[in-house]
Amino acid sequence: MKSREVVLANRPVGMPKVEDFEIREVELPNPSAGEVLVRNVCMSVDPYMRGRMIDRKSYTAPFGVGDTLTGGAIGRVERSNHTQLREGEYVESHLGWREAFVAKDAGLRRLGELAAPASAYLGVLGMPGMTAYAGLLEVAELAQGESVFVSGAAGAVGSAVGQIAKIKGCTVVGSAGSAEKVRHLTEDLGFDHAFDYHDGHLERHIFEGAPQGVDVYFDNVGGDHLQAALNCMRPNGRLALCGAIAQYNATAPVPGPNNLAIAIGMGLTLRGFIVSNFNHLRDQFMRDMTAWVASGEVKYRETTFDGIDKAPEAFIGLFTGANTGKMVVNLS
């Protein structure tokens, strides 16, 4: 059978362009012994993938020009020559950016009976939700009743951070990129205060929501948000450094905050993290988040594009504010 895949045609310079990607058709073999043919139902695009399009050393290897991209995906087993994976089962893989694939079971995770739509396992019940859970509860060591500021709060990670913090009895402040996203955070997700960062005056907005200062800052943006958060921290505050989307497409080095010395006198902890280093929390996360979604304590929204040919457009949309919640490409 044939499958279409997305190939990195060029290394993007600045903001990625549709021309940096190419759709390629390939012929898939029949699965051999121990292999399965999986047809992807939906795939994820995530901001971290931008870093892998740059040829540099990092925590994971860069994408090669001319290679098929990879990313999170949920698929169904269509044909099986494997004793443990049955036809019709849903599996999670890192083989997104393609309509279908043939593989052994290494790297495939059975989802069993779904507790939510398949796409939720790319978002609130997947890597973004796990990032929020690990970053907030273990990296930032959130305590009951603290004040939390999260940037990029209307995205897949940020929206989960805010809602988990509310479950833990905290005051939550979020920044987002439009009036509608601000409304979504306060009216739909229960944030105590939210603001449009385009208004400027970040510190004033943060203090409006947390007059006594911030105990935990969950950073998805970097840049001016990190600088402002440092000026708003309470003594012994913790900053979980998850992402810096404000500089992912920069074509020149971006200056760091010029107020880091605040961390010394205030006894602040700044800790960067990668979610894959917290797999010991996966079972606990799945139990908690599945229950929170089922009870309505955690709500989620998705922005969807349909078809593999729309994957580059969906990816670029991450950097132009096109998504509220998780960005998903439907492939079924």
Side-chain angles (χ1 to χ4, degrees), residues 277-328:
N277 293 331
F278 294 85
N279 284 332
H280 61 281
L281 295 177
R282 172 166 289 281
D283 290 345
Q284 178 182 323
F285 158 72
M286 288 302 297
R287 286 193 300 271
D288 287 346
M289 188 61 82
T290 300
W292 291 335
V293 169
S295 68
E297 291 176 278
V298 170
K299 302 177 178 68
Y300 66 94
R301 184 178 289 186
E302 297 173 344
T303 301
T304 58
F305 284 70
D306 292 327
I308 193 71
D309 55 314
K310 294 294 186 181
E313 184 181 341
F315 176 71
I316 294 167
L318 293 171
F319 305 102
T320 61
N323 64 300
T324 298
K326 182 74 187 83
M327 184 75 89
V328 175

mmCIF file of all heavy atoms in Angstrom, residues 277-328:
data_model
loop_
_atom_site.group_PDB
_atom_site.id
_atom_site.type_symbol
_atom_site.label_atom_id
_atom_site.label_comp_id
_atom_site.label_asym_id
_atom_site.label_seq_id
_atom_site.Cartn_x
_atom_site.Cartn_y
_atom_site.Cartn_z
ATOM 1 N N ASN A 277 12.803 12.682 30.909
ATOM 2 C CA ASN A 277 13.568 12.304 32.100
ATOM 3 C C ASN A 277 12.670 11.988 33.296
ATOM 4 O O ASN A 277 13.168 11.688 34.380
ATOM 5 C CB ASN A 277 14.532 13.433 32.488
ATOM 6 C CG ASN A 277 15.632 13.631 31.464
ATOM 7 O OD1 ASN A 277 16.022 12.690 30.777
ATOM 8 N ND2 ASN A 277 16.124 14.850 31.334
ATOM 9 N N PHE A 278 11.351 12.030 33.091
ATOM 10 C CA PHE A 278 10.428 11.835 34.207
ATOM 11 C C PHE A 278 9.456 10.692 33.946
ATOM 12 O O PHE A 278 8.319 10.706 34.428
ATOM 13 C CB PHE A 278 9.675 13.139 34.487
ATOM 14 C CG PHE A 278 10.570 14.239 34.991
ATOM 15 C CD1 PHE A 278 11.257 15.040 34.107
ATOM 16 C CD2 PHE A 278 10.758 14.430 36.349
ATOM 17 C CE1 PHE A 278 12.107 16.042 34.560
ATOM 18 C CE2 PHE A 278 11.608 15.418 36.812
ATOM 19 C CZ PHE A 278 12.288 16.218 35.917
ATOM 20 N N ASN A 279 9.926 9.688 33.213
ATOM 21 C CA ASN A 279 9.054 8.557 32.883
ATOM 22 C C ASN A 279 8.611 7.778 34.118
ATOM 23 O O ASN A 279 7.629 7.032 34.056
ATOM 24 C CB ASN A 279 9.746 7.631 31.883
ATOM 25 C CG ASN A 279 9.747 8.211 30.479
ATOM 26 O OD1 ASN A 279 8.863 8.981 30.115
ATOM 27 N ND2 ASN A 279 10.748 7.866 29.695
ATOM 28 N N HIS A 280 9.326 7.939 35.230
ATOM 29 C CA HIS A 280 8.907 7.265 36.455
ATOM 30 C C HIS A 280 7.559 7.786 36.963
ATOM 31 O O HIS A 280 6.919 7.139 37.795
ATOM 32 C CB HIS A 280 9.971 7.447 37.547
ATOM 33 C CG HIS A 280 10.226 8.879 37.926
ATOM 34 N ND1 HIS A 280 11.005 9.718 37.163
ATOM 35 C CD2 HIS A 280 9.801 9.617 38.981
ATOM 36 C CE1 HIS A 280 11.048 10.914 37.729
ATOM 37 N NE2 HIS A 280 10.321 10.877 38.840
ATOM 38 N N LEU A 281 7.107 8.922 36.442
ATOM 39 C CA LEU A 281 5.824 9.482 36.856
ATOM 40 C C LEU A 281 4.678 9.082 35.930
ATOM 41 O O LEU A 281 3.523 9.466 36.189
ATOM 42 C CB LEU A 281 5.904 11.018 36.885
ATOM 43 C CG LEU A 281 6.859 11.658 37.902
ATOM 44 C CD1 LEU A 281 6.863 13.171 37.737
ATOM 45 C CD2 LEU A 281 6.457 11.280 39.321
ATOM 46 N N ARG A 282 4.955 8.337 34.856
ATOM 47 C CA ARG A 282 3.935 8.118 33.821
ATOM 48 C C ARG A 282 2.678 7.457 34.366
ATOM 49 O O ARG A 282 1.563 7.903 34.104
ATOM 50 C CB ARG A 282 4.508 7.295 32.659
ATOM 51 C CG ARG A 282 3.432 6.882 31.648
ATOM 52 C CD ARG A 282 4.012 6.379 30.365
ATOM 53 N NE ARG A 282 4.595 7.457 29.602
ATOM 54 C CZ ARG A 282 3.876 8.319 28.857
ATOM 55 N NH1 ARG A 282 2.551 8.217 28.832
ATOM 56 N NH2 ARG A 282 4.454 9.257 28.171
ATOM 57 N N ASP A 283 2.817 6.377 35.110
ATOM 58 C CA ASP A 283 1.627 5.672 35.596
ATOM 59 C C ASP A 283 0.807 6.561 36.522
ATOM 60 O O ASP A 283 -0.428 6.601 36.436
ATOM 61 C CB ASP A 283 2.024 4.380 36.317
ATOM 62 C CG ASP A 283 2.567 3.324 35.369
ATOM 63 O OD1 ASP A 283 2.381 3.468 34.145
ATOM 64 O OD2 ASP A 283 3.191 2.363 35.857
ATOM 65 N N GLN A 284 1.488 7.279 37.402
ATOM 66 C CA GLN A 284 0.805 8.186 38.321
ATOM 67 C C GLN A 284 0.097 9.288 37.539
ATOM 68 O O GLN A 284 -1.057 9.643 37.833
ATOM 69 C CB GLN A 284 1.821 8.775 39.293
ATOM 70 C CG GLN A 284 1.257 9.772 40.291
ATOM 71 C CD GLN A 284 2.364 10.337 41.181
ATOM 72 O OE1 GLN A 284 3.295 9.637 41.559
ATOM 73 N NE2 GLN A 284 2.251 11.628 41.492
ATOM 74 N N PHE A 285 0.797 9.851 36.533
ATOM 75 C CA PHE A 285 0.200 10.881 35.690
ATOM 76 C C PHE A 285 -1.050 10.367 34.993
ATOM 77 O O PHE A 285 -2.094 11.045 34.987
ATOM 78 C CB PHE A 285 1.216 11.364 34.658
ATOM 79 C CG PHE A 285 0.599 12.005 33.443
ATOM 80 C CD1 PHE A 285 0.010 13.251 33.524
ATOM 81 C CD2 PHE A 285 0.600 11.348 32.214
ATOM 82 C CE1 PHE A 285 -0.581 13.846 32.403
ATOM 83 C CE2 PHE A 285 0.011 11.915 31.101
ATOM 84 C CZ PHE A 285 -0.576 13.167 31.192
ATOM 85 N N MET A 286 -0.986 9.185 34.404
ATOM 86 C CA MET A 286 -2.129 8.664 33.667
ATOM 87 C C MET A 286 -3.321 8.442 34.592
ATOM 88 O O MET A 286 -4.472 8.731 34.224
ATOM 89 C CB MET A 286 -1.759 7.374 32.947
ATOM 90 C CG MET A 286 -0.841 7.570 31.739
ATOM 91 S SD MET A 286 -1.525 8.675 30.473
ATOM 92 C CE MET A 286 -2.981 7.758 29.954
ATOM 93 N N ARG A 287 -3.063 7.934 35.800
ATOM 94 C CA ARG A 287 -4.164 7.747 36.753
ATOM 95 C C ARG A 287 -4.807 9.079 37.116
ATOM 96 O O ARG A 287 -6.033 9.241 37.069
ATOM 97 C CB ARG A 287 -3.664 7.043 38.015
ATOM 98 C CG ARG A 287 -3.389 5.562 37.857
ATOM 99 C CD ARG A 287 -3.215 4.904 39.218
ATOM 100 N NE ARG A 287 -2.117 5.471 39.982
ATOM 101 C CZ ARG A 287 -0.856 5.043 39.912
ATOM 102 N NH1 ARG A 287 -0.554 4.027 39.121
ATOM 103 N NH2 ARG A 287 0.087 5.605 40.649
ATOM 104 N N ASP A 288 -3.978 10.050 37.471
ATOM 105 C CA ASP A 288 -4.497 11.337 37.914
ATOM 106 C C ASP A 288 -5.183 12.082 36.772
ATOM 107 O O ASP A 288 -6.320 12.567 36.923
ATOM 108 C CB ASP A 288 -3.368 12.204 38.485
ATOM 109 C CG ASP A 288 -2.893 11.742 39.847
ATOM 110 O OD1 ASP A 288 -3.597 10.928 40.469
ATOM 111 O OD2 ASP A 288 -1.820 12.195 40.292
ATOM 112 N N MET A 289 -4.514 12.197 35.624
ATOM 113 C CA MET A 289 -5.059 13.018 34.551
ATOM 114 C C MET A 289 -6.304 12.389 33.944
ATOM 115 O O MET A 289 -7.271 13.104 33.610
ATOM 116 C CB MET A 289 -4.000 13.260 33.472
ATOM 117 C CG MET A 289 -4.435 14.266 32.420
ATOM 118 S SD MET A 289 -4.783 15.931 33.091
ATOM 119 C CE MET A 289 -3.116 16.600 33.189
ATOM 120 N N THR A 290 -6.326 11.065 33.816
ATOM 121 C CA THR A 290 -7.526 10.405 33.301
ATOM 122 C C THR A 290 -8.719 10.692 34.210
ATOM 123 O O THR A 290 -9.832 10.972 33.744
ATOM 124 C CB THR A 290 -7.300 8.891 33.179
ATOM 125 O OG1 THR A 290 -6.215 8.647 32.271
ATOM 126 C CG2 THR A 290 -8.537 8.189 32.642
ATOM 127 N N ALA A 291 -8.494 10.643 35.519
ATOM 128 C CA ALA A 291 -9.570 10.929 36.476
ATOM 129 C C ALA A 291 -9.996 12.390 36.400
ATOM 130 O O ALA A 291 -11.199 12.700 36.453
ATOM 131 C CB ALA A 291 -9.114 10.576 37.889
ATOM 132 N N TRP A 292 -9.044 13.311 36.273
ATOM 133 C CA TRP A 292 -9.377 14.735 36.208
ATOM 134 C C TRP A 292 -10.151 15.072 34.937
ATOM 135 O O TRP A 292 -11.077 15.881 34.975
ATOM 136 C CB TRP A 292 -8.107 15.570 36.293
ATOM 137 C CG TRP A 292 -7.423 15.524 37.629
ATOM 138 C CD1 TRP A 292 -7.990 15.254 38.837
ATOM 139 C CD2 TRP A 292 -6.035 15.757 37.883
ATOM 140 N NE1 TRP A 292 -7.040 15.303 39.829
ATOM 141 C CE2 TRP A 292 -5.828 15.603 39.280
ATOM 142 C CE3 TRP A 292 -4.932 16.072 37.079
ATOM 143 C CZ2 TRP A 292 -4.587 15.767 39.871
ATOM 144 C CZ3 TRP A 292 -3.688 16.235 37.661
ATOM 145 C CH2 TRP A 292 -3.515 16.087 39.053
ATOM 146 N N VAL A 293 -9.778 14.460 33.824
ATOM 147 C CA VAL A 293 -10.506 14.703 32.576
ATOM 148 C C VAL A 293 -11.921 14.133 32.678
ATOM 149 O O VAL A 293 -12.907 14.772 32.282
ATOM 150 C CB VAL A 293 -9.742 14.099 31.380
ATOM 151 C CG1 VAL A 293 -10.598 14.109 30.115
ATOM 152 C CG2 VAL A 293 -8.444 14.873 31.132
ATOM 153 N N ALA A 294 -12.038 12.930 33.232
ATOM 154 C CA ALA A 294 -13.356 12.293 33.363
ATOM 155 C C ALA A 294 -14.284 13.100 34.265
ATOM 156 O O ALA A 294 -15.494 13.193 34.009
ATOM 157 C CB ALA A 294 -13.198 10.876 33.897
ATOM 158 N N SER A 295 -13.736 13.699 35.310
ATOM 159 C CA SER A 295 -14.552 14.456 36.265
ATOM 160 C C SER A 295 -14.838 15.877 35.788
ATOM 161 O O SER A 295 -15.672 16.563 36.388
ATOM 162 C CB SER A 295 -13.848 14.520 37.621
ATOM 163 O OG SER A 295 -12.671 15.325 37.539
ATOM 164 N N GLY A 296 -14.129 16.328 34.747
ATOM 165 C CA GLY A 296 -14.292 17.699 34.281
ATOM 166 C C GLY A 296 -13.425 18.695 35.008
ATOM 167 O O GLY A 296 -13.491 19.899 34.732
ATOM 168 N N GLU A 297 -12.574 18.221 35.926
ATOM 169 C CA GLU A 297 -11.665 19.136 36.628
ATOM 170 C C GLU A 297 -10.604 19.686 35.684
ATOM 171 O O GLU A 297 -10.090 20.788 35.888
ATOM 172 C CB GLU A 297 -10.998 18.424 37.797
ATOM 173 C CG GLU A 297 -11.932 18.080 38.941
ATOM 174 C CD GLU A 297 -11.228 17.286 40.018
ATOM 175 O OE1 GLU A 297 -11.099 16.054 39.862
ATOM 176 O OE2 GLU A 297 -10.799 17.898 41.022
ATOM 177 N N VAL A 298 -10.251 18.919 34.681
ATOM 178 C CA VAL A 298 -9.351 19.386 33.628
ATOM 179 C C VAL A 298 -10.109 19.333 32.306
ATOM 180 O O VAL A 298 -10.633 18.297 31.914
ATOM 181 C CB VAL A 298 -8.071 18.536 33.540
ATOM 182 C CG1 VAL A 298 -7.278 18.889 32.275
ATOM 183 C CG2 VAL A 298 -7.199 18.751 34.774
ATOM 184 N N LYS A 299 -10.178 20.486 31.648
ATOM 185 C CA LYS A 299 -10.796 20.591 30.334
ATOM 186 C C LYS A 299 -9.688 20.801 29.299
ATOM 187 O O LYS A 299 -8.602 21.260 29.638
ATOM 188 C CB LYS A 299 -11.772 21.756 30.298
ATOM 189 C CG LYS A 299 -12.890 21.674 31.342
ATOM 190 C CD LYS A 299 -13.778 22.907 31.279
ATOM 191 C CE LYS A 299 -14.921 22.820 32.274
ATOM 192 N NZ LYS A 299 -14.454 22.884 33.675
ATOM 193 N N TYR A 300 -9.988 20.470 28.064
ATOM 194 C CA TYR A 300 -8.977 20.676 27.029
ATOM 195 C C TYR A 300 -9.637 21.088 25.730
ATOM 196 O O TYR A 300 -10.800 20.780 25.478
ATOM 197 C CB TYR A 300 -8.126 19.426 26.834
ATOM 198 C CG TYR A 300 -8.867 18.225 26.277
ATOM 199 C CD1 TYR A 300 -8.883 17.982 24.910
ATOM 200 C CD2 TYR A 300 -9.542 17.347 27.119
ATOM 201 C CE1 TYR A 300 -9.554 16.875 24.397
ATOM 202 C CE2 TYR A 300 -10.214 16.244 26.616
ATOM 203 C CZ TYR A 300 -10.211 16.011 25.257
ATOM 204 O OH TYR A 300 -10.879 14.926 24.754
ATOM 205 N N ARG A 301 -8.881 21.807 24.939
ATOM 206 C CA ARG A 301 -9.344 22.235 23.630
ATOM 207 C C ARG A 301 -8.289 21.835 22.599
ATOM 208 O O ARG A 301 -7.095 21.765 22.914
ATOM 209 C CB ARG A 301 -9.579 23.745 23.600
ATOM 210 C CG ARG A 301 -10.157 24.255 22.282
ATOM 211 C CD ARG A 301 -10.416 25.745 22.300
ATOM 212 N NE ARG A 301 -11.547 26.082 23.168
ATOM 213 C CZ ARG A 301 -12.044 27.317 23.268
ATOM 214 N NH1 ARG A 301 -11.506 28.305 22.565
ATOM 215 N NH2 ARG A 301 -13.066 27.553 24.060
ATOM 216 N N GLU A 302 -8.725 21.585 21.386
ATOM 217 C CA GLU A 302 -7.819 21.228 20.295
ATOM 218 C C GLU A 302 -8.067 22.144 19.101
ATOM 219 O O GLU A 302 -9.198 22.553 18.845
ATOM 220 C CB GLU A 302 -8.025 19.774 19.871
ATOM 221 C CG GLU A 302 -7.708 18.769 20.971
ATOM 222 C CD GLU A 302 -8.083 17.343 20.606
ATOM 223 O OE1 GLU A 302 -8.861 17.149 19.637
ATOM 224 O OE2 GLU A 302 -7.615 16.433 21.308
ATOM 225 N N THR A 303 -6.991 22.443 18.391
ATOM 226 C CA THR A 303 -7.072 23.122 17.102
ATOM 227 C C THR A 303 -6.630 22.106 16.059
ATOM 228 O O THR A 303 -5.538 21.538 16.182
ATOM 229 C CB THR A 303 -6.158 24.356 17.064
ATOM 230 O OG1 THR A 303 -6.557 25.257 18.110
ATOM 231 C CG2 THR A 303 -6.238 25.063 15.719
ATOM 232 N N THR A 304 -7.473 21.834 15.077
ATOM 233 C CA THR A 304 -7.210 20.716 14.171
ATOM 234 C C THR A 304 -7.059 21.160 12.729
ATOM 235 O O THR A 304 -7.725 22.095 12.258
ATOM 236 C CB THR A 304 -8.346 19.675 14.250
ATOM 237 O OG1 THR A 304 -9.583 20.302 13.915
ATOM 238 C CG2 THR A 304 -8.446 19.088 15.647
ATOM 239 N N PHE A 305 -6.162 20.466 12.036
ATOM 240 C CA PHE A 305 -6.006 20.553 10.592
ATOM 241 C C PHE A 305 -6.245 19.150 10.046
ATOM 242 O O PHE A 305 -5.926 18.164 10.712
ATOM 243 C CB PHE A 305 -4.603 21.031 10.206
ATOM 244 C CG PHE A 305 -4.382 22.511 10.408
ATOM 245 C CD1 PHE A 305 -4.313 23.064 11.678
ATOM 246 C CD2 PHE A 305 -4.221 23.349 9.317
ATOM 247 C CE1 PHE A 305 -4.108 24.419 11.862
ATOM 248 C CE2 PHE A 305 -4.011 24.713 9.479
ATOM 249 C CZ PHE A 305 -3.953 25.249 10.748
ATOM 250 N N ASP A 306 -6.787 19.055 8.859
ATOM 251 C CA ASP A 306 -7.131 17.759 8.282
ATOM 252 C C ASP A 306 -6.226 17.417 7.099
ATOM 253 O O ASP A 306 -6.123 18.190 6.141
ATOM 254 C CB ASP A 306 -8.593 17.752 7.799
ATOM 255 C CG ASP A 306 -9.571 17.837 8.954
ATOM 256 O OD1 ASP A 306 -9.261 17.295 10.029
ATOM 257 O OD2 ASP A 306 -10.635 18.462 8.786
ATOM 258 N N GLY A 307 -5.567 16.256 7.190
ATOM 259 C CA GLY A 307 -4.772 15.749 6.086
ATOM 260 C C GLY A 307 -3.285 15.978 6.253
ATOM 261 O O GLY A 307 -2.850 17.006 6.782
ATOM 262 N N ILE A 308 -2.497 15.001 5.789
ATOM 263 C CA ILE A 308 -1.040 15.070 5.933
ATOM 264 C C ILE A 308 -0.464 16.285 5.220
ATOM 265 O O ILE A 308 0.539 16.856 5.662
ATOM 266 C CB ILE A 308 -0.395 13.757 5.407
ATOM 267 C CG1 ILE A 308 1.086 13.661 5.834
ATOM 268 C CG2 ILE A 308 -0.522 13.649 3.895
ATOM 269 C CD1 ILE A 308 1.281 13.400 7.296
ATOM 270 N N ASP A 309 -1.108 16.722 4.148
ATOM 271 C CA ASP A 309 -0.603 17.872 3.402
ATOM 272 C C ASP A 309 -0.731 19.174 4.190
ATOM 273 O O ASP A 309 -0.084 20.168 3.861
ATOM 274 C CB ASP A 309 -1.320 17.995 2.060
ATOM 275 C CG ASP A 309 -2.829 18.052 2.212
ATOM 276 O OD1 ASP A 309 -3.373 17.236 2.966
ATOM 277 O OD2 ASP A 309 -3.451 18.913 1.575
ATOM 278 N N LYS A 310 -1.553 19.171 5.253
ATOM 279 C CA LYS A 310 -1.722 20.356 6.088
ATOM 280 C C LYS A 310 -0.775 20.378 7.288
ATOM 281 O O LYS A 310 -0.774 21.338 8.061
ATOM 282 C CB LYS A 310 -3.168 20.434 6.593
ATOM 283 C CG LYS A 310 -4.205 20.654 5.490
ATOM 284 C CD LYS A 310 -4.039 22.019 4.850
ATOM 285 C CE LYS A 310 -5.156 22.297 3.847
ATOM 286 N NZ LYS A 310 -4.994 23.615 3.192
ATOM 287 N N ALA A 311 0.026 19.323 7.449
ATOM 288 C CA ALA A 311 0.917 19.260 8.605
ATOM 289 C C ALA A 311 1.900 20.426 8.666
ATOM 290 O O ALA A 311 2.099 21.014 9.739
ATOM 291 C CB ALA A 311 1.647 17.918 8.631
ATOM 292 N N PRO A 312 2.561 20.814 7.548
ATOM 293 C CA PRO A 312 3.467 21.973 7.634
ATOM 294 C C PRO A 312 2.746 23.243 8.063
ATOM 295 O O PRO A 312 3.259 24.015 8.874
ATOM 296 C CB PRO A 312 4.011 22.084 6.203
ATOM 297 C CG PRO A 312 3.925 20.692 5.655
ATOM 298 C CD PRO A 312 2.655 20.149 6.227
ATOM 299 N N GLU A 313 1.548 23.474 7.528
ATOM 300 C CA GLU A 313 0.783 24.662 7.900
ATOM 301 C C GLU A 313 0.430 24.643 9.384
ATOM 302 O O GLU A 313 0.487 25.674 10.073
ATOM 303 C CB GLU A 313 -0.483 24.731 7.043
ATOM 304 C CG GLU A 313 -1.320 25.969 7.254
ATOM 305 C CD GLU A 313 -2.572 25.965 6.388
ATOM 306 O OE1 GLU A 313 -2.618 25.211 5.397
ATOM 307 O OE2 GLU A 313 -3.507 26.730 6.715
ATOM 308 N N ALA A 314 0.052 23.475 9.886
ATOM 309 C CA ALA A 314 -0.268 23.351 11.308
ATOM 310 C C ALA A 314 0.961 23.646 12.160
ATOM 311 O O ALA A 314 0.878 24.342 13.181
ATOM 312 C CB ALA A 314 -0.796 21.945 11.607
ATOM 313 N N PHE A 315 2.116 23.122 11.756
ATOM 314 C CA PHE A 315 3.351 23.353 12.506
ATOM 315 C C PHE A 315 3.688 24.835 12.541
ATOM 316 O O PHE A 315 3.986 25.394 13.608
ATOM 317 C CB PHE A 315 4.497 22.558 11.873
ATOM 318 C CG PHE A 315 5.831 22.805 12.507
ATOM 319 C CD1 PHE A 315 6.117 22.332 13.776
ATOM 320 C CD2 PHE A 315 6.813 23.537 11.841
ATOM 321 C CE1 PHE A 315 7.357 22.572 14.377
ATOM 322 C CE2 PHE A 315 8.041 23.775 12.423
ATOM 323 C CZ PHE A 315 8.312 23.292 13.695
ATOM 324 N N ILE A 316 3.628 25.496 11.413
ATOM 325 C CA ILE A 316 3.935 26.928 11.352
ATOM 326 C C ILE A 316 2.966 27.708 12.232
ATOM 327 O O ILE A 316 3.340 28.687 12.886
ATOM 328 C CB ILE A 316 3.883 27.409 9.893
ATOM 329 C CG1 ILE A 316 5.015 26.746 9.086
ATOM 330 C CG2 ILE A 316 3.995 28.928 9.809
ATOM 331 C CD1 ILE A 316 4.883 26.902 7.587
ATOM 332 N N GLY A 317 1.713 27.250 12.296
ATOM 333 C CA GLY A 317 0.709 27.924 13.103
ATOM 334 C C GLY A 317 1.038 27.978 14.576
ATOM 335 O O GLY A 317 0.533 28.847 15.300
ATOM 336 N N LEU A 318 1.882 27.068 15.052
ATOM 337 C CA LEU A 318 2.294 27.097 16.452
ATOM 338 C C LEU A 318 3.009 28.396 16.798
ATOM 339 O O LEU A 318 2.973 28.853 17.948
ATOM 340 C CB LEU A 318 3.233 25.924 16.758
ATOM 341 C CG LEU A 318 2.656 24.509 16.700
ATOM 342 C CD1 LEU A 318 3.786 23.495 16.805
ATOM 343 C CD2 LEU A 318 1.640 24.296 17.817
ATOM 344 N N PHE A 319 3.686 29.000 15.805
ATOM 345 C CA PHE A 319 4.513 30.174 16.051
ATOM 346 C C PHE A 319 3.814 31.472 15.670
ATOM 347 O O PHE A 319 4.381 32.552 15.824
ATOM 348 C CB PHE A 319 5.829 30.039 15.292
ATOM 349 C CG PHE A 319 6.554 28.757 15.614
ATOM 350 C CD1 PHE A 319 6.512 27.687 14.739
ATOM 351 C CD2 PHE A 319 7.234 28.605 16.816
ATOM 352 C CE1 PHE A 319 7.150 26.490 15.042
ATOM 353 C CE2 PHE A 319 7.861 27.415 17.132
ATOM 354 C CZ PHE A 319 7.823 26.350 16.245
ATOM 355 N N THR A 320 2.579 31.366 15.176
ATOM 356 C CA THR A 320 1.805 32.550 14.824
ATOM 357 C C THR A 320 0.553 32.681 15.686
ATOM 358 O O THR A 320 -0.293 33.528 15.416
ATOM 359 C CB THR A 320 1.406 32.510 13.334
ATOM 360 O OG1 THR A 320 0.591 31.355 13.089
ATOM 361 C CG2 THR A 320 2.641 32.460 12.442
ATOM 362 N N GLY A 321 0.427 31.831 16.706
ATOM 363 C CA GLY A 321 -0.715 31.909 17.606
ATOM 364 C C GLY A 321 -1.985 31.320 17.053
ATOM 365 O O GLY A 321 -3.087 31.655 17.507
ATOM 366 N N ALA A 322 -1.868 30.401 16.077
ATOM 367 C CA ALA A 322 -3.055 29.846 15.430
ATOM 368 C C ALA A 322 -3.799 28.858 16.310
ATOM 369 O O ALA A 322 -4.960 28.545 16.030
ATOM 370 C CB ALA A 322 -2.663 29.163 14.110
ATOM 371 N N ASN A 323 -3.152 28.343 17.333
ATOM 372 C CA ASN A 323 -3.783 27.291 18.140
ATOM 373 C C ASN A 323 -4.218 27.793 19.501
ATOM 374 O O ASN A 323 -3.566 28.624 20.135
ATOM 375 C CB ASN A 323 -2.820 26.116 18.327
ATOM 376 C CG ASN A 323 -1.589 26.493 19.120
ATOM 377 O OD1 ASN A 323 -0.829 27.374 18.733
ATOM 378 N ND2 ASN A 323 -1.387 25.827 20.244
ATOM 379 N N THR A 324 -5.357 27.258 19.937
ATOM 380 C CA THR A 324 -5.750 27.294 21.337
ATOM 381 C C THR A 324 -5.771 25.850 21.795
ATOM 382 O O THR A 324 -6.406 24.999 21.169
ATOM 383 C CB THR A 324 -7.146 27.913 21.520
ATOM 384 O OG1 THR A 324 -7.112 29.271 21.050
ATOM 385 C CG2 THR A 324 -7.554 27.914 22.981
ATOM 386 N N GLY A 325 -5.026 25.537 22.838
ATOM 387 C CA GLY A 325 -4.879 24.143 23.246
ATOM 388 C C GLY A 325 -3.944 23.404 22.304
ATOM 389 O O GLY A 325 -3.066 23.982 21.674
ATOM 390 N N LYS A 326 -4.166 22.102 22.176
ATOM 391 C CA LYS A 326 -3.262 21.237 21.406
ATOM 392 C C LYS A 326 -3.511 21.387 19.915
ATOM 393 O O LYS A 326 -4.651 21.362 19.456
ATOM 394 C CB LYS A 326 -3.485 19.783 21.822
ATOM 395 C CG LYS A 326 -2.551 18.810 21.119
ATOM 396 C CD LYS A 326 -1.157 18.909 21.693
ATOM 397 C CE LYS A 326 -0.154 18.073 20.900
ATOM 398 N NZ LYS A 326 0.332 18.803 19.710
ATOM 399 N N MET A 327 -2.437 21.497 19.151
ATOM 400 C CA MET A 327 -2.514 21.490 17.697
ATOM 401 C C MET A 327 -2.427 20.034 17.226
ATOM 402 O O MET A 327 -1.464 19.333 17.542
ATOM 403 C CB MET A 327 -1.390 22.304 17.081
ATOM 404 C CG MET A 327 -1.462 22.415 15.566
ATOM 405 S SD MET A 327 -2.733 23.568 15.019
ATOM 406 C CE MET A 327 -1.792 25.113 14.987
ATOM 407 N N VAL A 328 -3.419 19.587 16.474
ATOM 408 C CA VAL A 328 -3.519 18.196 16.038
ATOM 409 C C VAL A 328 -3.795 18.167 14.539
ATOM 410 O O VAL A 328 -4.565 18.986 14.021
ATOM 411 C CB VAL A 328 -4.652 17.455 16.782
ATOM 412 C CG1 VAL A 328 -4.833 16.047 16.234
ATOM 413 C CG2 VAL A 328 -4.365 17.410 18.286
#
